[in-house]
Amino acid sequence: MSNETNANSTDSRQGVTNIGSVPAYLVLADGRTFKGFGFGAIGTTLGEAVFTTAMTGYQETMTDPSYHRQIVVNTAPQIGNTGWNEEDNESRDGSIWVAGLVIRDLAVRVSNWRATTTLQEEMAKQGVVGIGGIDTRALVRHIRNEGAVPAGIFSGADAERPMEELVEIVKNQPSMVGANLAVEVSADETYVIEAEGEARHTVVAYDLGIKQNTPRRFAARGVRTVIVPAETPFEEIKQYNPAGVFISNGPGDPAAADTMVNIVREVLAADIPFFGICFGNQILGRAFGMETYKLKFGHRGINVPVKNHITGKIDITAQNHGFALKGEAGQEFETDFGTAVVTHTCLNDGVVEGVALKSGRAYSVQYHPEAAAGPNDASPLFDQFVALMDEDSENQKEEA
């Protein structure tokens, strides 16, 4: 279906009317502009323009707190065809965290029996600005060549302002570099996700932007998860007597997360089993003394190949990160907690995708083994963590 046909389609049953009637612009800080139509909420939104190569799972992406302050460009040409449902949200309360959404074609009717509303209705309800009718191929190529860039979507009356004024607004927004965003998306108070059946272990999970499929993965393995706000002092989590500590995914610059780095160092010094993903990987790396840097355009999608240099196995992974650890495949180095090793790298560009202590007591990966949305290749990482806690439990029984 052409863009012109989409722009004039109407489906009153789905609440979709006059798609394409609201003018909109996507404006990049380098002066590049794209004209399209507004959908969802109408107005202005600012953020960093990034792209995802995922063909499915836009609802999980949009409700992932890791996308806070990011305007997401979808490479899949049609978005909205599965609508919106109450089951696939990755934020605890169903909040959409993306700053804005950029698409080529907006589906005019929903084709999913679980859908309770449309994408555009949910975006309007939550005040999320979108733009459609964009040549996303040209836009993604521009981001790949020039790097992730500050951007803004302006729709309705806001799109009628002088373009020079819009470019200045985009340029003057806060930078992602140096931004400590995890505290902005974290839970305000501690809550618990109980194990399915009898609890084998209790894990304390730091919410830096945790996706809800993570505690579900733990629960399915008999693990009770106590989820605490970002930067909760180590002394406070000791009251839960955790068998292990987990650090979640999340947004922002890991170089600005000094408090979390120091907490992880206390966890390691106490010899408590540790597992981290995404932002948690960068935090563990920093606790080991590694440096971080901003990637040119990041890794976002559910089809990223990663090699485990310990086993030689290759996994297809789900990812969302704009920062990474500095290191080389298989690199070993000394830390305050023993010898560490770079365990995983991305086969596309060699970026570090995992680090661990050689003792096995602490490990992390840059990708998302909870796979929401995404492949399940890396799911055994949860089993590895449970096995580590099982071993600790057996050793404690023997010592008693």
Side-chain angles (χ1 to χ4, degrees):
M1 186 178 291
S2 68
N3 283 338
E4 182 177 356
T5 304
N6 262 345
N8 295 306
S9 296
T10 300
D11 186 282
S12 58
R13 291 182 304 104
Q14 301 295 343
V16 180
T17 58
N18 299 321
I19 295 175
S21 63
V22 178
Y25 280 99
L26 173 69
V27 179
L28 305 185
D30 59 17
R32 186 80 183 266
T33 63
F34 294 82
K35 186 177 182 179
F37 62 84
F39 71 98
I42 303 304
T44 295
T45 189
L46 302 175
E48 181 183 52
V50 300
F51 64 87
T52 174
T53 57
M55 296 293 288
T56 61
Y58 60 79
Q59 181 171 338
E60 291 93 333
T61 293
M62 294 174 71
T63 55
D64 177 356
S66 297
Y67 280 102
H68 179 41
R69 279 185 49 187
Q70 294 180 328
I71 295 174
V72 175
V73 182
N74 287 273
T75 59
Q78 188 177 68
I79 299 296
N81 50 354
T82 56
W84 198 272
N85 64 69
E86 300 300 320
E87 302 171 42
D88 292 340
N89 296 320
E90 282 304 312
S91 56
R92 186 185 179 197
D93 60 359
S95 295
I96 295 174
W97 279 102
V98 298
L101 192 67
V102 181
I103 65 173
R104 178 180 172 181
D105 294 331
L106 180 64
V108 296
R109 67 174 71 232
V110 171
S111 301
N112 189 305
W113 65 273
R114 295 191 306 147
T116 55
T117 187
T118 67
L119 169 64
Q120 54 269 41
E121 286 171 336
E122 188 64 25
M123 288 175 61
K125 175 184 175 182
Q126 296 201 33
V128 180
V129 178
I131 183 170
I134 295 295
D135 183 350
T136 49
R137 293 173 300 179
L139 174 57
V140 169
R141 178 168 291 185
H142 183 78
I143 295 173
R144 283 186 62 90
N145 289 342
E146 304 300 326
V149 61
I153 300 174
F154 303 88
S155 61
D158 290 356
E160 299 174 4
R161 299 163 71 176
M163 190 56 65
E164 296 81 4
E165 182 180 332
L166 300 185
V167 172
E168 283 304 309
I169 291 172
V170 169
K171 284 182 177 179
N172 290 329
Q173 67 179 286
S175 173
M176 290 293 284
V177 176
N180 184 17
L181 301 182
V183 294
E184 297 181 13
V185 304
S186 180
D188 294 327
E189 58 186 12
T190 298
Y191 64 98
V192 178
I193 302 296
E194 296 293 347
E196 296 177 10
E198 184 179 354
R200 298 165 59 183
H201 303 291
T202 294
V203 163
V204 167
Y206 276 87
D207 176 11
L208 307 190
I210 196 168
K211 294 166 71 174
Q212 290 307 295
N213 210 39
T214 297
R216 291 191 202 111
R217 294 281 189 171
F218 281 132
R221 290 163 171 79
V223 175
R224 175 177 181 263
T225 308
V226 179
I227 301 170
V228 300
E231 301 187 352
T232 298
F234 176 66
E235 288 299 317
E236 288 188 22
I237 72 167
K238 287 164 66 174
Q239 66 181 298
Y240 305 110
N241 193 27
V245 173
F246 173 83
I247 304 289
S248 79
N249 56 288
D253 185 348
D258 291 345
T259 299
M260 283 306 310
V261 170
N262 290 331
I263 290 170
V264 170
R265 288 182 62 83
E266 290 181 274
V267 172
L268 299 178
D271 197 31
I272 300 173
F274 176 90
F275 176 28
I277 66 170
C278 197
F279 203 68
N281 180 63
Q282 297 158 7
I283 297 298
L284 180 61
R286 282 200 58 203
F288 287 163
M290 301 175 74
E291 296 181 4
T292 60
Y293 66 103
K294 195 174 192 304
L295 294 167
K296 184 176 181 181
F297 49 80
H299 297 164
R300 297 173 182 89
I302 58 177
N303 51 4
V304 183
V306 169
K307 183 172 182 178
N308 182 330
H309 295 283
I310 306 301
T311 66
K313 186 173 181 287
I314 296 171
D315 288 335
I316 303 302
T317 69
Q319 299 201 13
N320 168 27
H321 64 110
F323 293 84
L325 294 168
K326 291 182 180 180
E328 303 291 336
Q331 174 186 347
E332 293 188 9
F333 54 98
E334 294 304 314
T335 76
D336 293 337
F337 316 100
T339 305
V341 59
V342 174
T343 55
H344 300 70
T345 57
C346 179
L347 292 180
N348 288 338
D349 53 15
V351 167
V352 172
E353 296 282 352
V355 294
L357 288 177
K358 291 195 74 176
S359 66
R361 302 291 294 172
Y363 66 98
S364 60
V365 292
Q366 187 60 63
Y367 45 93
H368 289 253
E370 82 288 343
N376 292 305
D377 296 29
S379 183
L381 286 165
F382 288 98
D383 299 318
Q384 180 181 336
F385 194 44
V386 172
L388 182 56
M389 292 186 289
D390 285 344
E391 182 181 348
D392 263 19
S393 178
E394 289 300 318
N395 290 338
Q396 290 169 9
K397 289 179 182 178
E398 290 178 3
E399 290 174 2

